[in-house]
Amino acid sequence: MVRILSTNITSPLGMTTEQNYQAVKSGCSALTRYEGRWNLPEAFAASLFTEEQMKELMIEGFTAFESVIIRSVREALSHTNFDVASKRVALIVSTTKGNVETLRQESYDEESEYPGVAARKIAQALGISTEPIVVCNACISGVAAQILAQRLIDAGLYDNVIVAGGEVQGKFIVSGFQAFKAVTDEICRPFDIERLGLNLGDGAGSIIFGKSESEGWHLESGAIRNDAYHLSAPHPQGEGYYQALKSALGEHATAELATLGVHGTATMYNDQMESKAIQRAGFSDVPLTSLKGYYGHTMGAAGVIETILTMKATDEGIILSARGFEEIGVSGKINISAQQQTTDKKAFIKTLSGFGGCNCAAMYKASPNLSKGEELLIHQPKVSHTVKITPNEVVVDGQKIATQAEGKQLLKELYKNHIGDYQKFYKMDVLTRLTFVASELLIKAASNAEDAVSSGAEGLSVILFNRSSSIVADKQFVETINNEANYYPSPSAFLYTLPNLTTGEIAIRNHFTGETSFYILPEKNEDMMNNIIRISFIDKDTTAIIGGWVDCPDENNFEAELSIYTK
């Protein structure tokens, strides 16, 4: 049984889980209105570390992002007694943009912006000997990372997994969300009729998982599903959210749940989508826990921080109030309150949704002493088709395709000669173009071979890896915000600074509604990639996976190697 052994929350509300919980329980919020911060032309409200807090948190030789996560994990580890240097211990970092603010400095080491490189520095500082994994799956990253931790332990690959979610806000992220008109300068009001948008927040959260027979919380089940609808707008009926929620609940009854921990960003469309999906799934009577009114949206840390707080509250028999909520402003029937409620139940589900059409849900239960359980036997999947693309060569199922162009022009040539019917291609950044073209060639090969995978949309997942994240798109967006005299942040440019958009484009194009996940590694690691793809078949609804490596450190230097995996 995969247990939660220890936790920490490091945020503007406190440096420990207990400090944060007591602050939220008493109704405190760190959300504040900022005007002129980072020379941004528009005011915004956010929950940011104070200068004094950052001085306390900073560790010499590390960035703010790295320091906050190291501090959080160290505090969580102080309540455990296993050897972190063991080869049976893993670190998973969940973040959306990590060290992206380093790109705005006059001089910087480009690789310091790579999330996997930052995660390796964090691991080394903590004394962890294994290579870390970064989950970069937009706003669902924090819960997606926990689902991965459960799989790694259940499959017998590790005994303990540390999940650390973190985000430190800056001009890059705030200006991007402002470009989408998603940010408000007022305190956010989730699900309220007068909600105007989201707030952003700093923070880190750590959960340490391990096999244990002791009494306590465990992650019962989890699921990730894609809407296959739109890159930045949720499905009107919350299809992916609905499917993830139903899968996480499994054979359990909603009557077992103390609460449903929702995403609740206070944006017009997300809250509406959630309410519709909640009603569709039969959760209308389950009390909701909505926490963005205390922290804002902490992005890669949200799923970790909000899970920890919901566990703490449920332990005490409390359902935390939805700060900022007054009057219902969504059409789906939901059970939300601005007042704390009580409960005697010991289970809950945490949900999140994000750009790229991704949605996730995980069910947690507090239970007495249980056996450690048996390791899951997961067979090596079969590889049916493979595509490899480099700047000057394209190979499909071992056969080289004749081409003339090189570099980024090669991707255009491949699109025109072999696809040609998806005009969104020209809006994509180069990483997404690379991934899209590779996936199209792969799916075409499967279709020509009359492979059943081409018609298995519901059970088909997309799981990708790289090293450089979305560095090309990141640099392009930085150019739009660094010159104050020529400040023009573009929402479309900002959108592609999320590398998981690559999985979203494939899902939308092909109506794939299975899991979509994006992982960043310090280096290309075939064994790690194979293990993650293999254990993703733990999800019983997954019938096939399009997976592999898609890295693009610059526009003319890239590599894609994708395969179709089946059980």
Side-chain angles (χ1 to χ4, degrees):
M1 181 65 68
V2 180
R3 295 286 193 182
I4 293 171
L5 307 181
S6 179
T7 70
N8 168 264
I9 301 173
T10 298
S11 83
L13 286 179
M15 301 298 151
T16 67
T17 295
E18 188 63 25
Q19 288 173 1
N20 277 269
Y21 174 63
Q22 292 301 330
V24 171
K25 182 180 171 184
S26 62
C28 295
S29 172
L31 291 169
T32 305
R33 186 178 187 274
Y34 292 91
E35 191 164 356
R37 184 67 175 257
W38 303 306
N39 294 318
L40 285 167
E42 298 176 35
F44 63 94
S47 170
L48 306 179
F49 287 118
T50 64
E51 289 185 17
E52 292 75 16
Q53 287 174 324
M54 280 311 308
K55 274 185 184 179
E56 180 184 346
L57 289 166
M58 288 298 293
I59 301 171
E60 187 176 354
F62 294 89
T63 65
F65 163 72
E66 295 159 0
S67 296
V68 169
I69 288 187
I70 292 168
R71 296 281 191 188
S72 176
V73 175
R74 280 178 176 168
E75 204 284 327
L77 283 171
S78 71
H79 304 285
T80 64
N81 59 7
F82 61 87
D83 178 13
V84 295
S86 166
K87 294 296 183 182
R88 302 285 297 174
V89 175
L91 172 67
I92 302 174
V93 174
S94 67
T95 186
T96 56
K97 294 314 301 175
N99 278 332
V100 74
E101 279 297 309
T102 61
L103 289 179
R104 297 185 52 247
Q105 300 171 0
E106 289 186 9
S107 61
Y108 63 91
D109 173 11
E110 181 176 297
E111 292 206 351
S112 69
E113 201 266 337
Y114 292 0
V117 174
R120 179 186 278 166
K121 283 181 64 182
I122 291 167
Q124 291 171 346
L126 295 167
I128 296 169
S129 62
T130 54
E131 285 283 54
I133 305 163
V134 176
V135 175
C136 196
N137 227 21
C139 300
I140 76 167
S141 298
V143 171
Q146 295 177 61
I147 293 171
L148 176 61
Q150 180 191 39
R151 291 173 179 175
L152 290 169
I153 295 174
D154 278 343
L157 297 173
Y158 297 94
D159 295 327
N160 295 96
V161 178
I162 302 162
V163 172
E167 221 77 65
V168 176
Q169 303 296 334
K171 186 173 183 176
F172 187 103
I173 297 172
V174 176
S175 63
F177 277 97
Q178 285 180 331
F180 269 100
K181 306 299 179 187
V183 176
T184 178
D185 64 345
E186 299 180 13
I187 306 304
C188 68
R189 304 180 66 171
F191 300 98
D192 192 83
I193 195 169
E194 294 187 18
R195 67 188 186 279
L196 296 172
L198 60 79
N199 304 146
L200 293 163
D202 290 342
S206 300
I207 300 178
I208 300 176
F209 292 89
K211 284 194 172 182
S212 172
E213 298 177 10
S214 63
E215 181 178 344
W217 285 94
H218 67 274
L219 202 169
E220 179 88 353
S221 57
I224 302 169
R225 298 290 183 269
N226 201 284
D227 283 336
Y229 174 73
H230 195 276
L231 289 179
S232 60
H235 189 285
Q237 301 298 316
E239 184 62 29
Y241 188 103
Y242 164 82
Q243 295 294 345
L245 192 53
K246 293 292 284 184
S247 181
L249 182 66
E251 299 300 317
H252 296 278
T254 57
E256 298 177 42
L257 302 176
T259 184
L260 174 64
V262 292
H263 194 34
T265 58
T267 55
M268 189 60 65
Y269 296 114
N270 182 84
D271 288 8
Q272 171 66 6
M273 174 277 288
E274 280 196 271
S275 76
K276 296 292 286 185
I278 289 165
Q279 181 175 343
R280 285 182 65 200
F283 283 67
S284 290
D285 295 328
V286 178
L288 303 190
T289 295
S290 177
L291 299 173
K292 297 297 191 296
Y294 301 94
Y295 293 93
H297 191 353
T298 53
M299 299 163 60
V304 183
I305 290 173
E306 294 173 10
T307 295
I308 296 168
L309 288 169
T310 309
M311 277 192 294
K312 285 285 291 182
T314 307
D315 267 338
E316 279 201 19
I318 291 172
I319 300 167
L320 295 167
S321 61
R323 192 178 188 278
F325 172 78
E326 293 181 8
E327 182 181 353
I328 196 72
V330 292
S331 63
K333 183 185 175 186
I334 58 173
N335 180 2
I336 187 166
S337 176
Q339 307 301 319
Q340 283 186 13
Q341 303 174 65
T342 59
T343 183
D344 60 358
K345 298 170 184 176
K346 296 299 180 183
F348 69 90
I349 289 179
K350 175 66 193 142
T351 61
L352 292 169
S353 61
F355 285 164
C358 55
N359 302 268
C360 70
M363 182 173 178
Y364 304 80
K365 285 187 74 174
S367 53
N369 296 350
L370 291 172
S371 66
K372 291 183 180 180
E374 298 296 324
E375 292 176 2
L376 295 177
L377 179 61
I378 305 149
H379 297 288
Q380 183 65 32
K382 301 173 184 176
V383 176
S384 56
H385 302 279
T386 300
V387 169
K388 184 170 183 178
I389 301 176
T390 63
N392 50 29
E393 186 176 64
V394 182
V395 179
V396 179
D397 287 340
Q399 300 296 313
K400 186 174 179 179
I401 294 179
T403 56
Q404 294 182 338
E406 293 186 349
K408 64 180 181 180
Q409 296 304 320
L410 172 64
L411 302 179
K412 287 185 179 180
E413 179 185 336
L414 290 171
Y415 171 77
K416 290 177 180 178
N417 293 345
H418 298 277
I419 307 164
D421 63 344
Y422 200 66
Q423 289 300 304
K424 283 177 62 180
F425 172 83
Y426 293 104
K427 294 183 178 180
M428 300 175 189
D429 73 308
V430 67
L431 173 65
T432 311
R433 287 184 179 187
L434 169 67
T435 311
F436 176 78
V437 167
S439 69
E440 288 289 297
L441 294 176
L442 189 66
I443 293 167
K444 185 176 180 180
S447 179
N448 290 342
E450 297 184 351
D451 196 313
V453 73
S454 61
S455 60
E458 289 186 4
L460 205 147
S461 298
V462 184
I463 298 176
L464 304 179
F465 305 81
N466 83 356
R467 180 171 187 264
S468 60
S469 185
S470 52
I471 187 68
V472 175
D474 291 350
K475 288 179 177 179
Q476 290 171 346
F477 185 72
V478 163
E479 290 178 3
T480 73
I481 63 173
N482 261 4
N483 187 338
E484 293 176 25
N486 196 24
Y487 176 83
Y488 59 102
S490 161
S492 59
F494 179 69
L495 187 62
Y496 285 103
T497 67
L498 296 170
N500 75 297
L501 267 288
T502 55
T503 66
E505 289 283 19
I506 297 171
I508 293 167
R509 165 69 160 173
N510 299 284
H511 309 291
F512 294 159
T513 56
E515 174 175 337
T516 51
S517 291
F518 199 98
Y519 302 103
I520 302 173
L521 306 178
E523 304 290 345
K524 189 176 183 181
N525 185 325
E526 299 282 0
D527 289 340
M528 178 72 77
M529 291 159 56
N530 179 67
N531 281 333
I532 291 175
I533 288 172
R534 180 170 63 88
I535 65 176
S536 296
F537 282 104
I538 286 175
D539 187 323
K540 59 181 177 58
D541 293 328
T542 298
T543 59
I545 294 171
I546 290 178
W549 185 259
V550 283
D551 200 32
C552 183
D554 65 62
E555 289 189 326
N556 292 297
N557 178 21
F558 49 75
E559 179 188 16
E561 190 166 0
L562 299 186
S563 299
I564 293 177
Y565 299 84
T566 55
K567 288 183 178 179

